[in-house]
């Protein structure tokens, strides 16, 4: 087995490796599949349209062998006669050629699919190296090709011999038939022989296709180190990914802090948590959590709130419940509607007190009722 840097290629090719190989035109191909597909399609096409082609050829020969002296020496007229005679062959021959093209296309792309690669078409000096050519001549691939050739010859000879021996009596009966029925009978037998011989080569295809797939997979196998390197290239190195995540967190925090001035109230667990709430009745159907944080971020939220004169209200149980149950830019859970309503009502009464329109309200954040499944 091939080795690379002291390591054996024991790992199956990754999806990225397979895609890179396809881009380079390195896909499994079976020449046997393409050639047998064309031969079988050709045999079937001749069986279906052979009579039409034969009749057309007979019409061409009859017309060309009955030319008059004037027609022979009149080149434009002779050319016109030729085109008219060949017109009877145009449709059946076109159908046969189209069938052969379709069979060849399907046979060539049946294994590996359709792949166009400019890199595969570029000339490579390594292919012109005589030593490389000699290695290919005595390599595993050449041995397999030799065995396939021997098998094909054996199959063709064996099937042909079997068909001939089984049809000997029918051959001798041909001389008792009248012309042209004996000729047609002989042609039918011949076409049956051709089709059966071509179909026998499907055995070679059945062997060659799995071999080509296996060989292709073996060529693309990877070492364990190559798998690790590819993973690092695809997923990113851990230190780079960590730095990216850090930058993403910092950007998210900056965006979050920019929303704090829009808050109606910031509720806190005085030591660790802060949650900023917004409730705009013209926009929001329920209060929205626009910022939240713990420790350093919690203190930063409070600093910004103080700068913009946003009320800061200690309510430890509610703060912890909102922090753990609600994501940013999401509405508060149904179970916390009553508790948050008490906070917003206090903020409204506080604003009325500041305007001299109401007595100073009282608020105890520890006494707010929090559902049992939302207590943290």
């Amino acid at each position: 087995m091939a080795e690379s840097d002291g390591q054996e290629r024991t790992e199956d090719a990754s999806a990225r490796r397979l895609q890179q190989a396809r881009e380079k035109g390195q896909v499994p191909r079976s020449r046997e599949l393409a050639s047998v597909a064309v031969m079988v399609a050709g045999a079937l096409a001749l069986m279906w349209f052979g009579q039409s082609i034969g009749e057309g050829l007979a019409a061409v020969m009859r017309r060309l062998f009955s030319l008059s002296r004037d027609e022979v020496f009149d080149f434009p007229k002779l050319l016109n006669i030729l085109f008219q005679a060949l017109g009877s062959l145009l449709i059946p021959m076109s159908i046969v050629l189209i069938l052969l093209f379709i069979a060849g296309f399907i046979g060539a792309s049946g294994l590996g699919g359709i792949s166009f690669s400019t890199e595969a078409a570029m000339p490579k000096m390594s292919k012109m190296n005589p030593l490389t050519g000699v290695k290919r001549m005595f390599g595993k691939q050449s041995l397999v090709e030799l065995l396939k050739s021997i098998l094909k010859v054996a199959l063709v000879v064996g099937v042909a011999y079997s068909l001939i021996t089984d049809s000997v009596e029918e051959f001798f009966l041909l001389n008792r038939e009248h012309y042209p029925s004996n000729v047609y009978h002989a042609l039918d037998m011949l076409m049956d022989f051709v089709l059966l011989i071509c179909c026998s080569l499907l055995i070679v295809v059945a062997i060659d296709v799995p071999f080509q797939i296996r060989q292709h997979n073996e060529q693309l196998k990877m070492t364990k180190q190559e798998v690790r390197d590819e993973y690092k290239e695809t997923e990113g190195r851990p230190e780079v990914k960590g730095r990216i995540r850090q930058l993403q967190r910092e950007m998210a925090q900056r965006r979050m802090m920019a929303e704090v001035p829009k808050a109606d109230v910031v509720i806190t667990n005085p030591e660790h948590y802060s949650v900023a709430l917004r409730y705009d009745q013209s926009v929001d159907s329920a209060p929205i959590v626009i910022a939240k944080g713990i420790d350093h971020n919690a203190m930063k939220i409070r600093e910004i709130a103080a700068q913009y004169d946003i009320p800061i209200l200690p309510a430890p149980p509610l703060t912890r419940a909102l922090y753990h149950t609600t994501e940013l830019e999401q509405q508060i859970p149904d179970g916390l509607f009553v508790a948050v309503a008490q906070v917003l009502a206090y903020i409204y009464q506080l604003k009325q007190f500041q305007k001299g329109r109401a007595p100073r309200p009282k608020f105890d954040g520890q006494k707010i009722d929090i559902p049992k499944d939302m207590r943290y």
Side-chain angles (χ1 to χ4, degrees), residues 240-256:
V240 175
K241 292 175 66 178
R243 178 57 179 167
I244 292 174
R245 285 195 295 267
Q246 180 182 355
L247 293 174
Q248 290 173 339
R249 285 194 298 268
E250 292 176 356
M251 293 174 62
Q253 289 175 3
R254 284 195 293 269
R255 288 195 299 269
M256 182 181 70

Side-chain angles (χ1 to χ4, degrees), residues 126-188:
S126 60
K127 294 182 179 180
M128 302 177 64
N129 189 343
L131 294 178
T132 305
V134 172
K135 290 180 180 179
R136 285 199 298 266
M137 289 174 60
F138 296 96
K140 180 181 179 181
Q141 181 67 28
S142 298
L143 177 60
V144 172
E145 293 297 328
L146 176 61
L147 293 175
K148 285 194 299 184
S149 299
I150 295 173
L151 178 59
K152 285 190 286 186
V153 172
L155 278 172
V156 170
V157 172
V159 173
Y161 178 79
S162 177
L163 291 172
I164 292 172
T165 53
D166 291 342
S167 305
V168 169
E169 295 183 2
E170 194 172 356
F171 285 149
F172 286 115
L173 291 175
L174 289 175
N175 63 350
R176 298 183 181 181
E177 298 179 8
H178 296 289
Y179 176 84
S181 61
N182 56 354
V183 176
Y184 295 148
H185 188 183
L187 289 174
D188 289 339

Side-chain angles (χ1 to χ4, degrees), residues 74-225:
D74 188 346
F75 182 74
K77 189 174 184 179
L78 181 63
L79 196 60
N80 186 42
I81 293 172
L82 178 62
F83 285 144
Q84 289 178 355
L86 293 177
S88 58
L89 288 172
L90 181 61
I91 294 178
M93 287 297 296
S94 298
I95 295 175
V96 171
L97 292 176
I98 291 172
L99 288 175
L100 291 177
F101 174 79
I102 294 174
F105 180 80
I106 294 175
S109 59
L111 182 63
I114 302 173
S115 176
F116 298 97
S117 174
T118 55
E119 185 174 346
M122 295 294 290
K124 294 182 181 179
M125 295 303 297
S126 60
K127 294 182 179 180
M128 302 177 64
N129 189 343
L131 294 178
T132 305
V134 172
K135 290 180 180 179
R136 285 199 298 266
M137 289 174 60
F138 296 96
K140 180 181 179 181
Q141 181 67 28
S142 298
L143 177 60
V144 172
E145 293 297 328
L146 176 61
L147 293 175
K148 285 194 299 184
S149 299
I150 295 173
L151 178 59
K152 285 190 286 186
V153 172
L155 278 172
V156 170
V157 172
V159 173
Y161 178 79
S162 177
L163 291 172
I164 292 172
T165 53
D166 291 342
S167 305
V168 169
E169 295 183 2
E170 194 172 356
F171 285 149
F172 286 115
L173 291 175
L174 289 175
N175 63 350
R176 298 183 181 181
E177 298 179 8
H178 296 289
Y179 176 84
S181 61
N182 56 354
V183 176
Y184 295 148
H185 188 183
L187 289 174
D188 289 339
M189 292 176 61
L190 178 61
M191 292 310 305
D192 291 339
F193 287 2
V194 171
L195 179 61
L196 290 172
I197 290 173
C198 292
C199 290
S200 69
L201 294 176
L202 291 173
I203 298 174
V204 180
V205 174
I207 297 173
D208 185 58
V209 169
F211 171 77
Q212 296 297 339
I213 295 174
R214 183 177 180 277
Q215 186 183 43
H216 176 72
N217 293 336
E218 289 292 331
Q219 291 174 347
L220 295 182
K221 275 192 172 182
M222 307 167 67
T223 64
K224 295 183 182 298
Q225 184 60 42

